[in-house]
Amino acid sequence: MIEISRQYLEIKNLENLKDSSYSGNECKIDQIKKPDFQLNKFLYKQIGKDHRWIDRLSWSDKLWLHYLNDKNVDTYILKVKNEVAGYFEKIFHPETNDVEIAYFGVLKDFREKNYGGYLLTNAIKISFQKNIKRVWVHTCSLDHKNALRNYLARGMKIFKEEKIKISA
């Protein structure tokens, strides 16, 4: 067993958002209008393999389709010079009127180039288009070394922390 630390972060309004300093001139963020489970599955596996994302590895194609066809789930793709560079999935929770950034990441070849800050800035802005109470996310010590720093740099605040044990 190994112990990891997990943080839950939130931002409650756009006034608290600190934009990324990266201009994103060669970037484009597109919402996937027609769910493409193969694309989500690919990005989940490629980004997650370095960070021990394992919860969806056993999902069947049918389960992926069911999840992505939920009207409260949206996927956005980051493209750099028309090449897929990263993504995020957001889930609107109508019962609490908030948005969870469920999965967020940049492919390995695009890391350490400020794309993560740019993508997160836009993920938060897009999420607040629904007139919600807050945007939240969780991260852990297995995620990219800059993940927590990126969330904090965008103005998100930790509202819960915990230690959990997982099998090695």
Side-chain angles (χ1 to χ4, degrees):
M1 297 292 263
I2 58 171
E3 185 175 87
I4 62 168
S5 58
R6 185 182 324 182
Q7 297 82 24
Y8 295 80
L9 300 99
E10 66 185 358
I11 187 166
K12 294 187 175 181
N13 58 59
L14 279 177
E15 291 77 42
N16 292 331
L17 176 63
K18 296 174 185 138
D19 282 358
S20 165
S21 59
Y22 179 68
S23 68
N25 288 337
E26 74 252 358
C27 296
K28 183 176 165 188
I29 297 173
D30 292 320
Q31 180 179 3
I32 303 301
K33 298 287 188 190
K34 185 174 175 5
D36 179 354
F37 80 91
Q38 294 290 7
L39 179 60
N40 284 68
K41 190 175 176 179
F42 168 80
L43 289 166
Y44 174 85
K45 284 181 176 181
Q46 290 305 306
I47 294 167
K49 69 182 174 184
D50 295 328
H51 309 294
R52 202 171 172 156
W53 293 0
I54 58 172
D55 54 318
R56 294 184 182 178
L57 292 178
S58 64
W59 280 20
S60 66
D61 292 353
K62 184 177 179 181
L63 188 53
W64 274 101
L65 280 168
H66 176 74
Y67 169 73
L68 293 172
N69 280 312
D70 183 323
K71 67 179 176 23
N72 293 316
V73 174
D74 293 309
T75 301
Y76 291 81
I77 302 296
L78 169 67
K79 291 184 179 177
V80 176
K81 298 178 184 170
N82 284 328
E83 191 174 343
V84 173
Y87 86 126
F88 69 93
E89 291 175 7
K90 71 178 187 66
I91 304 172
F92 173 61
H93 297 282
E95 66 282 359
T96 52
N97 194 35
D98 62 19
V99 169
E100 173 188 2
I101 298 174
Y103 282 90
F104 174 93
V106 177
L107 291 165
K108 195 171 202 160
D109 290 347
F110 296 92
R111 293 181 191 152
E112 310 295 329
K113 299 176 181 172
N114 296 317
Y115 297 126
Y118 174 80
L119 182 59
L120 182 58
T121 295
N122 285 282
I124 292 169
K125 287 178 179 178
I126 289 165
S127 296
F128 272 110
Q129 289 174 349
K130 270 199 174 231
N131 193 26
I132 55 161
K133 289 191 324 189
R134 71 177 181 148
V135 176
W136 67 278
V137 66
H138 67 80
T139 189
C140 75
S141 52
L142 296 174
D143 284 340
H144 188 273
K145 64 181 180 173
N146 293 331
L148 179 58
R149 185 174 23 225
N150 187 22
Y151 297 128
L152 294 170
R154 302 289 74 77
M156 298 187 94
K157 304 284 186 217
I158 296 171
F159 69 90
K160 179 181 172 185
E161 291 186 90
E162 61 188 1
K163 301 276 187 195
I164 58 173
K165 292 185 191 261
I166 61 172
S167 56

